[in-house]
Amino acid sequence: MLYIIGLGLGDEKDITLRGLEAVKKSQKIYIESYTSLLSFGISEDGISTLEKLYGKPLIVADREMVEEKVDDMLLEAREFDVAFLVVGDPFGATTHSDLVVRAKKMDVEVKVIYNASVMNAVGVCGLQLYRYGETVSLPFFTETWRPDSFYEKIQKNRGLGLHTLCLLDIRVKEPSLESLCRGKKQYEPPSFMTIGVAIDQLLEVEQLRGESAYNEDTLCVGFARLGSENQMVVAGSMKQLRTVDFGPPLHCLTIVGKTHPVEEEMLDFYRS
């Protein structure tokens, strides 16, 4: 059996009882490390905290391992129970559908154990989840690459009066362009987009496109470290949120659409 287990958003205690039972009966445990482990507290000593709780060693699965060597893990799952741990929910912000498809093709039985994800945790600010439109991802701009495909999606959502969740770029174990040119991978230090950078990029694209999808007075909600003890939620205009220090990652941003009176009442608690 391959267990794909959501760990939730906070710390090691957020795993469900069913998830913990699956971990304890698995002979091998992998933990994905290419999305949001930093906010989960798994940097230097976080892995050992989980290992202490589980009483078993963990194998860190980076993006390369999951994309290139995942068949080895699936072959193991044909012989004995293997757990693959995912921060958040297995089918939340980062889906693991490809892993399930590959497992099924290799006749590996899969059991998914769900948990909280950023996709539903943003409900804390009072904006109703069914009033959200399509979620967008904001990548880091570079000198030569400034994609703006998210703009049409935000525009469409706002045209329908819907809120837009913006997931902000996380760069973990990304090879540098120079090292790829040399044929020997060297990795850039991890970087995590802040709400300030996200707003700067959003406004830059609006200025270029000039179609009034939003502006610096548009109401937004900034979230940092959702699900943790020190989570931060602030509502305000883009201009206001640019000046707020949200602290360590992970950050995400909601661009507010048309609001209901109950949503407005909740948002008032978070206004800067």
Side-chain angles (χ1 to χ4, degrees), residues 160-181:
L160 295 168
L162 302 175
H163 315 309
T164 307
L165 173 60
C166 304
L167 298 175
L168 311 189
D169 204 359
I170 300 167
R171 296 180 65 81
V172 179
K173 208 174 178 188
E174 295 279 350
S176 68
L177 193 58
E178 289 170 20
S179 72
L180 285 174
C181 293

Side-chain angles (χ1 to χ4, degrees), residues 167-238:
L167 298 175
L168 311 189
D169 204 359
I170 300 167
R171 296 180 65 81
V172 179
K173 208 174 178 188
E174 295 279 350
S176 68
L177 193 58
E178 289 170 20
S179 72
L180 285 174
C181 293
R182 287 199 303 268
K184 189 179 180 184
K185 284 184 185 173
Q186 281 185 316
Y187 299 102
E188 295 176 345
S191 52
F192 304 87
M193 187 183 287
T194 63
I195 286 162
V197 168
I199 290 171
D200 285 344
Q201 292 190 180
L202 284 164
L203 291 174
E204 179 186 316
V205 171
E206 176 56 66
Q207 199 170 7
L208 285 168
R209 301 288 288 264
E211 294 170 35
S212 303
Y214 50 81
N215 58 49
E216 63 175 16
D217 296 317
T218 299
L219 180 62
C220 294
V221 185
F223 305 88
R225 301 169 301 284
L226 271 173
S228 68
E229 289 292 329
N230 66 342
Q231 75 175 18
M232 187 171 173
V233 182
V234 183
S237 67
M238 286 192 179

Side-chain angles (χ1 to χ4, degrees), residues 15-188:
I15 191 170
T16 63
L17 287 173
R18 184 172 287 146
L20 190 56
E21 282 170 7
V23 165
K24 297 225 166 175
K25 65 182 175 187
S26 295
Q27 285 173 253
K28 223 162 181 184
I29 308 163
Y30 293 86
I31 182 163
E32 62 97 354
S33 70
Y34 47 86
T35 52
S36 49
L37 286 187
L38 188 79
S39 73
F40 198 68
I42 303 172
S43 44
E44 297 301 319
D45 58 349
I47 290 285
S48 62
T49 310
L50 288 174
E51 288 176 336
K52 213 176 287 179
L53 175 66
Y54 304 155
K56 294 181 177 185
L58 298 185
I59 300 158
V60 177
D62 60 22
R63 192 186 296 275
E64 282 175 36
M65 183 253 153
V66 174
E67 289 175 356
E68 297 167 19
K69 301 173 188 168
V70 71
D71 287 355
D72 296 343
M73 180 178 76
L74 296 177
L75 286 170
E76 291 170 348
R78 286 167 79 163
E79 304 299 320
F80 50 82
D81 287 342
V82 172
F84 183 74
L85 310 182
V86 178
V87 174
D89 182 82
F91 298 115
T94 305
T95 75
H96 290 80
S97 308
D98 181 58
L99 182 59
V100 174
V101 170
R102 287 166 85 162
K104 300 258 186 204
K105 284 180 178 174
M106 290 174 68
D107 293 322
V108 175
E109 200 172 341
V110 177
K111 185 164 188 181
V112 177
I113 299 172
Y114 305 100
N115 211 315
S117 162
V118 66
M119 304 293 282
N120 62 290
V122 291
V124 68
C125 72
L127 295 176
Q128 294 163 359
L129 294 177
Y130 60 82
R131 297 282 304 148
Y132 274 81
E134 187 174 351
T135 298
V136 302
S137 296
L138 300 185
F140 277 114
F141 284 176
T142 68
E143 296 281 318
T144 55
W145 190 65
R146 304 175 98 72
D148 61 2
S149 57
F150 54 80
Y151 186 83
E152 283 88 0
K153 294 173 185 177
I154 297 170
Q155 193 174 41
K156 186 179 176 187
N157 287 346
R158 287 181 61 73
L160 295 168
L162 302 175
H163 315 309
T164 307
L165 173 60
C166 304
L167 298 175
L168 311 189
D169 204 359
I170 300 167
R171 296 180 65 81
V172 179
K173 208 174 178 188
E174 295 279 350
S176 68
L177 193 58
E178 289 170 20
S179 72
L180 285 174
C181 293
R182 287 199 303 268
K184 189 179 180 184
K185 284 184 185 173
Q186 281 185 316
Y187 299 102
E188 295 176 345

